[in-house]
């Protein structure tokens, strides 16, 4: 791989380089393990994911667009031109910024299909004082150069010979990011697959919770997908602290209150449902317990905790 001069200098000067750039095996995403972490955020991204598979190579990327997804979330479009760069729906990237010692960890929120078609990945990053997120919100601009490396066991990468499963996607807050990637990938598979030649997903349902509907990322695109592929894809939005009117377009999809066992029940078939969860640890723990009471085995409940 050809690495720009800025990246070579950055790698040489990065603190703890031997630990950061140790070789790793690409995640096969078969037999996915759930990654259990403490609810207390006391370690940085590299420490928390030290035992998680990630790619060996680092790839240069250019910021080609920045969109305000909400009042607190910016969506970056990154051009990653190298033909060897690949990811699976649900995975994240180690995010390296020249001049910033801390390495970020952000889920990819776009589909593998967008990378194949346009050489682009997208990240939706919430504002915090954490150095990488703070840089994205205060210093990043179009044409900024960064570097990325794919990692993560939490992904949806069905093969043509795999059994057809129904997907239940449960997201809290910015935990929507990897699940949105999975939803987009599912939609791509439904649009482009043909009988006998590619994997065609079963039914997919998204439960997405936020404090209010203004904090629901990607909601308009999610509704459009549900309209387009209504026989296969559905969704519910959950607001827990709504203080304003709900936007007319999403009113039919919106429920007041947290995601409950009763909400999940119609979408759980113990024999054919696979559930992907991403959100705050207390939510993960509650939803996992609810799903198990509904008969879903632990090996069919996959989750990612970023808090």
């Amino acid at each position: 791989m050809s690495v720009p001069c800025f990246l070579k200098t950055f790698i040489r000067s990065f603190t703890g380089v031997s630990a950061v750039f140790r070789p790793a095996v690409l995640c096969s995403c078969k037999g996915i393990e759930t990654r259990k972490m403490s609810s207390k955020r006391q370690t940085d991204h590299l420490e928390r994911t030290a035992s998680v598979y990630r790619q060996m190579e680092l790839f240069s990327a250019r910021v080609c667009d920045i969109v305000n997804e909400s009042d607190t979330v910016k969506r970056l479009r990154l051009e990653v031109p190298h033909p060897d760069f690949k990811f699976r729906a649900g995975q994240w990237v180690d995010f390296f910024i020249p001049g910033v010692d801390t390495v970020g960890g952000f889920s990819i929120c776009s589909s593998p299909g967008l990378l194949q078609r346009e050489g682009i990945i997208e990240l939706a990053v919430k504002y915090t004082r954490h150095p990488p997120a703070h840089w994205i919100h205060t210093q990043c601009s179009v044409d900024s150069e960064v570097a990325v490396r794919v990692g993560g066991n939490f992904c949806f990468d069905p093969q043509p010979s795999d059994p057809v499963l129904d997907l239940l996607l449960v997201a809290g807050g910015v935990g929507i990011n990897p699940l949105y990637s999975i939803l987009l990938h599912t939609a791509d598979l439904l649009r482009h697959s043909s009988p006998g030649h590619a994997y065609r997903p079963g039914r997919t349902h998204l439960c997405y919770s936020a404090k209010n509907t203004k904090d629901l990322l990607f909601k308009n695109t999610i509704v459009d997908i549900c309209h387009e592929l209504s026989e296969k894809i559905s969704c519910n939005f959950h607001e827990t602290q709504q203080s304003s009117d709900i936007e007319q377009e999403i009113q039919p999809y919106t429920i007041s209150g947290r995601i409950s066992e009763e909400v999940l029940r119609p979408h759980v078939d113990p024999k054919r449902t696979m559930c992907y969860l991403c959100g705050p640890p207390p939510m993960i723990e509650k939803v996992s317990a609810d799903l198990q009471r509904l008969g879903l085995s632990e090996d069919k409940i996959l989750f990612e905790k970023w808090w």
Side-chain angles (χ1 to χ4, degrees), residues 29-236:
C29 296
K30 295 293 186 179
I32 302 172
E33 297 178 359
T34 55
R35 181 155 58 91
K36 298 186 178 180
M37 290 184 265
S38 168
S39 297
K40 296 181 180 179
R41 190 184 179 99
Q42 297 177 334
T43 55
D44 69 16
H45 166 68
L46 291 178
E47 291 175 302
R48 290 196 315 275
T49 61
S51 63
V52 181
Y53 290 138
R54 57 198 353 111
Q55 289 178 337
M56 293 173 61
E57 288 188 274
L58 199 62
F59 294 88
S60 59
R62 181 183 70 87
V63 177
C64 57
D65 196 14
I66 305 173
V67 177
N68 290 323
E69 195 65 38
S70 75
D71 291 343
T72 59
V73 175
K74 287 188 181 290
R75 177 158 51 97
L76 298 189
R77 285 175 62 87
L78 298 175
E79 182 183 44
V80 191
H82 200 290
D84 291 342
F85 180 82
K86 295 179 176 63
F87 76 97
R88 297 172 173 88
Q91 289 186 300
W92 39 258
V93 291
D94 295 332
F95 191 83
F96 297 83
I97 305 163
V100 177
D101 285 348
T102 305
V103 176
F106 304 118
S107 291
I108 301 170
C109 63
S110 53
S111 70
L114 181 64
L115 177 64
Q116 294 169 4
R117 294 187 295 270
E118 301 181 27
I120 298 291
I121 65 169
E122 296 185 340
L123 312 175
V125 180
K126 187 172 183 176
Y127 175 82
T128 70
R129 296 294 298 178
H130 192 249
H134 191 258
W135 178 86
I136 286 170
H137 279 261
T138 62
Q139 298 183 54
C140 182
S141 61
V142 172
D143 289 332
S144 289
E145 292 184 308
V146 296
V148 292
R149 178 177 58 194
V150 171
N153 301 335
F154 181 85
C155 54
F156 176 61
D157 185 36
Q159 302 304 303
S161 59
D162 288 347
V164 174
L165 296 174
D166 293 337
L167 299 184
L168 174 59
L169 311 177
V170 184
V174 291
I176 186 62
N177 282 330
L179 303 185
Y180 185 58
S181 176
I182 291 173
L183 183 73
L184 293 174
H185 186 46
T186 300
D188 279 348
L189 291 173
L190 289 169
R191 292 181 185 117
H192 304 302
S193 64
S194 56
H197 294 284
Y199 183 87
R200 188 171 178 82
R203 290 199 58 82
T204 297
H205 182 76
L206 170 67
C207 289
Y208 178 15
S209 176
K211 289 182 179 180
N212 58 71
T213 55
K214 293 187 182 300
D215 289 338
L216 293 168
L217 307 181
F218 321 119
K219 56 182 176 286
N220 293 330
T221 304
I222 291 170
V223 168
D224 289 344
I225 290 172
C226 290
H227 283 160
E228 177 194 353
L229 301 167
S230 58
E231 293 184 1
K232 287 287 190 176
I233 297 179
S234 57
C235 73
N236 286 121

Side-chain angles (χ1 to χ4, degrees), residues 241-269:
Q241 299 178 28
Q242 190 77 18
S243 58
S244 59
D245 292 339
I246 296 173
E247 301 94 308
Q248 184 175 358
E249 295 79 8
I250 66 169
Q251 283 182 2
Y253 302 91
T254 303
I255 299 171
S256 179
R258 300 183 186 279
I259 297 169
S260 66
E261 184 175 332
E262 290 307 308
V263 167
L264 297 169
R265 187 185 302 277
H267 308 289
V268 175
D269 180 339

